[in-house]
């Protein structure tokens, strides 16, 4: 076991704060940890006053990991000594090291956070507590029921990844692909709707690999579509190889399934895709998008890209730019390659120089930015429903999301969670403005 922390022992915390980094699954896990601590009688507080701060971390790129250590330092400024729990993927990957380097009180992995109350109690008693087990029995059955959520809620349906892309830590930090059971998910979706959700985003590292006894994600979506009060369904993140025809068909005829698909491709060069172990080529990806667009022509496409994977040449990078030009993404996320310890690509020596990576990222982001603006501009004049998420800064201003996941602001007086019929009138780089058409649609 690890050396005792110099800051221990603590008394049992009365207040807590959960700070999540990284992907939407971490946001979901963070919410569930907060519900768990609230069920123990703790009250939520700000990071700079809470007795217990949970840092729910991301390990996907190097910068994300370094952030954890600077955050720990910040929490301890001015002589404050909150109990610190490190959760999430950095906890899973570097548990012992974090306790040794930063002397935190609790380390808990993404598959073990149902044990957080026990670990906190152990830390309060004077010993740093670490749990990075990946038990076969799921944590989900041990978490308290959902109580109060906003109009747009996340629901984790699948975790882990068996794809082993050569650059990626996820198969190591989140473990093998596991799907939650159909009935369990329908129960949680109903509870979310009762707790205020009008939109549910189904989450998974490979969400479209979800299956339960032969039922695929489209069967789950078709069942959730029948829940009264649930107006919108989304899902993320998908893998091209798990995009089955049933799911594509659902985009054509399930009204509550929103016209948006996040389908990472990473590179437009088949040679690089091979080196990444993506198990699909450039053309496979493009033909797949043709099939999706055939059933849902207005679908907003989104993707993830990595520039500067070892061995990537200027010609390979241009293949990425040309793929972007062919697809016309509505939104996208792009990153510089970051070698992650323990992954196969970390051993590759033909690194792309930092300045070349910077240049490629800039060129790619300029192209993606232009396409996003063009997509937004093309929706001006359209009439659509906007799900109201919050009030804007200006008096009478409301903010929400279009079916294509664009941020839309408009003037009106509506409740959070209302679906409002809006005509889109102008497009900026990141949001659109609209005008209300009718009082409210069902
Ligand atoms: N370096 C850079 N980007 C990465 N991603 C995953 N691993 C790495 C890495 N080692 C990106 C991929 C993935 C997204 C979640 O993060 O684009 O789709
Ligand atoms: Fe990582 Fe690839 Fe799995 Fe996505 S599909 S989580 S990039 S290994």
């Amino acid at each position: 076991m690890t050396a005792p922390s110099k800051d221990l022992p603590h008394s049992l915390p009365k207040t807590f704060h959960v700070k999540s980094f990284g992907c939407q699954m971490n946001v979901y896990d963070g919410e569930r940890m907060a519900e768990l601590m609230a069920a123990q009688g703790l009250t939520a507080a700000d990071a700079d006053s809470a007795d217990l701060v949970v840092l729910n971390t991301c390990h996907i790129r190097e910068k994300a990991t370094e952030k954890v250590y600077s955050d720990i330092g910040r929490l301890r400024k001015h002589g404050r000594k909150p109990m610190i729990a490190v959760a999430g993927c950095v906890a899973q990957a570097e548990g012992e090291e974090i306790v040794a380097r930063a002397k935190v009180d609790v380390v808990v992995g993404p598959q073990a956070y149902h044990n957080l109350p026990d670990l906190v109690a152990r830390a309060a008693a004077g010993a740093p507590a670490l749990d990075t087990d990946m038990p076969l029995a799921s944590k989900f059955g041990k978490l308290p029921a959902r109580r109060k959520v906003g109009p747009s809620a996340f629901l984790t349906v699948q975790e882990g990844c068996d794809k082993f892309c050569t650059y990626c830590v996820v198969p190591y930090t989140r473990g093998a692909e596991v799907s939650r059971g159909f009935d369990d998910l329908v129960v949680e979706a109903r509870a979310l709707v009762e707790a205020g959700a009008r939109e549910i985003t189904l989450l998974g590292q490979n969400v479209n690999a979800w299956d339960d006894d032969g039922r695929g994600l489209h069967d789950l979506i078709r069942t959730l579509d029948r829940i009264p009060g649930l107006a919108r369904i989304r899902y993320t993140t998908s893998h091209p190889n798990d995009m089955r025809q049933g799911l594509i068909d659902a985009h054509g005829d399930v009204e509550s399934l929103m016209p948006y698909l996040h389908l990472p491709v990473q590179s437009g060069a088949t040679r690089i895709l091979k080196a990444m172990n993506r198990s699909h080529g450039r053309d496979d990806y493009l033909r797949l998008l043709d099939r999706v667009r055939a059933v849902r022509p207005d679908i907003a496409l989104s993707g993830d890209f990595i520039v500067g994977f070892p061995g990537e040449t200027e010609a390979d990078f241009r293949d990425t730019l040309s793929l972007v030009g062919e697809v016309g993404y509505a939104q996208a996320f792009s990153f510089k390659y970051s070698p992650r310890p323990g992954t196969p690509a970390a051993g590759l020596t033909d690194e792309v120089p930092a300045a070349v990576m910077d240049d490629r990222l800039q060129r790619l982001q300029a192209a993606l930015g232009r396409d996003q603006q063009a997509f937004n501009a093309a929706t001006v004049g359209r009439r659509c429903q906007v799900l109201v998420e919050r009030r804007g800064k200006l008096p009478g201003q409301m903010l929400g999301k279009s079916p294509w996941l664009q941020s839309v602001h408009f003037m009106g007086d509506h409740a959070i969670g209302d679906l409002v019929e809006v005509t889109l009138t102008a497009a900026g780089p990141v949001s659109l403005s609209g005008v209300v058409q009718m009082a409210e649609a069902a």
Side-chain angles (χ1 to χ4, degrees):
M1 227 1 234
T2 36
S5 152
K6 64 175 183 321
D7 293 334
L8 293 170
H10 288 277
S11 52
L12 265 178
K14 294 191 177 62
T15 57
F16 74 95
H17 181 85
V18 180
K19 184 169 177 189
S20 289
F21 302 86
C23 67
Q24 289 149 321
M25 194 171 292
N26 262 14
V27 175
Y28 173 87
D29 289 343
E31 285 169 4
R32 308 268 2 219
M33 282 188 256
E35 289 164 351
L36 193 57
M37 298 322 289
Q40 299 289 310
L42 280 77
T43 34
D46 288 344
D48 42 9
S49 68
D51 302 334
L52 164 69
V53 179
V54 181
L55 297 175
N56 189 24
T57 60
C58 171
H59 199 239
I60 198 93
R61 286 170 292 276
E62 194 176 358
K63 276 201 182 135
T65 313
E66 281 312 310
K67 232 177 163 159
V68 180
Y69 289 103
S70 58
D71 251 62
I72 293 171
R74 207 166 308 129
L75 287 171
R76 288 181 174 148
K77 261 194 185 156
H78 313 302
R80 224 173 83 71
K81 288 182 181 167
M83 181 186 281
I84 298 178
V86 177
C89 292
V90 178
Q92 189 65 40
E94 299 182 7
E96 295 276 340
E97 201 186 317
I98 305 168
V99 179
R101 182 171 153 189
K103 307 279 186 286
V104 298
D105 309 284
V106 172
V107 168
V108 62
Q111 307 307 348
Y113 66 75
H114 55 286
N115 292 330
L116 189 58
D118 279 354
L119 297 165
V120 167
R122 266 165 51 197
L130 186 142
D131 186 350
T132 49
D133 286 353
M134 291 198 180
L136 278 180
S138 149
K139 67 197 170 231
F140 293 106
K142 299 178 185 115
L143 298 172
R146 313 299 312 256
R147 283 211 299 261
K148 187 158 178 14
V149 296
S152 179
F154 292 136
L155 171 54
T156 293
V157 303
Q158 180 278 340
E159 278 192 277
C161 183
D162 297 340
K163 305 288 188 293
F164 290 94
C165 298
T166 53
Y167 52 80
C168 187
V169 286
V170 168
Y172 312 97
T173 57
R174 288 272 172 173
E177 280 176 13
V178 179
S179 295
R180 292 178 65 189
F182 185 90
D183 296 340
D184 186 22
L185 291 170
V186 176
V187 168
E188 191 172 328
R190 283 185 193 284
L192 285 170
V193 173
E194 267 164 42
R198 309 255 9 228
E199 169 177 279
I200 292 181
T201 302
L202 308 175
L203 298 180
Q205 262 97 29
N206 276 290
V207 71
N208 56 344
W210 181 88
D211 85 304
D212 182 8
D213 217 9
R215 285 184 283 200
L217 191 66
H218 56 284
D219 297 307
L220 181 63
I221 288 170
R222 286 182 189 280
T223 302
L224 300 186
D225 174 59
R226 294 198 291 270
I227 296 179
L230 181 60
R232 293 180 162 190
I233 302 171
R234 303 181 183 276
Y235 61 94
T236 197
T237 288
S238 297
H239 192 286
N241 284 17
D242 291 319
M243 202 69 209
R244 296 187 222 308
Q245 192 59 41
L247 186 54
I248 295 176
D249 292 343
H251 275 286
D253 63 8
V254 178
E255 209 188 318
S256 63
L257 182 58
M258 291 294 101
Y260 186 96
L261 175 62
H262 180 65
L263 198 65
V265 64
Q266 316 298 353
S267 166
T270 296
R271 198 181 77 80
I272 294 296
L273 291 170
K274 214 173 175 120
M276 288 175 163
N277 193 32
R278 285 291 295 179
S279 59
H280 61 80
R282 171 197 175 96
D283 289 341
D284 306 323
Y285 180 82
L286 290 171
R287 298 298 75 81
L288 177 56
L289 294 188
D290 289 343
R291 283 164 54 211
V292 176
R293 277 185 160 143
V295 301
R296 189 75 210 222
D298 71 332
I299 198 155
L301 295 168
S302 158
D304 289 346
F305 296 88
I306 297 175
V307 299
F309 186 81
E312 183 189 71
T313 62
E314 174 64 20
D316 294 328
F317 174 67
R318 286 191 185 178
D319 283 346
T320 299
L321 287 180
S322 78
L323 177 135
V324 165
E326 270 189 60
V327 173
Y329 288 94
Q331 213 189 7
F333 305 89
S334 46
F335 313 100
K336 287 188 274 186
Y337 169 69
S338 164
R340 305 311 291 133
T343 59
L348 299 174
T349 51
D350 42 356
E351 290 145 79
V352 173
V356 176
M357 267 204 232
D358 285 339
D359 172 65
R360 288 182 189 167
L361 187 67
Q362 232 173 43
R363 288 154 68 199
L364 178 60
Q365 290 186 339
L368 291 168
R370 279 194 296 272
D371 287 350
Q372 179 164 359
Q373 182 108 40
F375 181 89
N376 287 343
T379 56
V380 170
R382 276 201 188 173
R383 193 168 156 159
C384 65
Q385 289 197 325
V386 173
L387 176 62
V388 178
E389 292 181 341
R390 58 194 166 92
R391 295 193 165 274
K393 285 202 184 98
L394 304 174
Q397 193 184 42
M398 315 292 311
L399 296 179
K401 292 274 168 27
S402 77
W404 306 283
L405 208 61
Q406 299 151 300
S407 293
V408 180
H409 51 89
F410 60 92
M411 303 307 276
D413 185 18
H414 303 273
I416 309 300
D418 278 355
L419 278 165
V420 181
E421 194 82 15
V422 163
T423 297
L424 302 174
T425 50
V430 289
S431 68
L432 290 102
S433 40
V435 177
V436 178
Q437 288 305 313
M438 307 187 292
E440 194 191 325

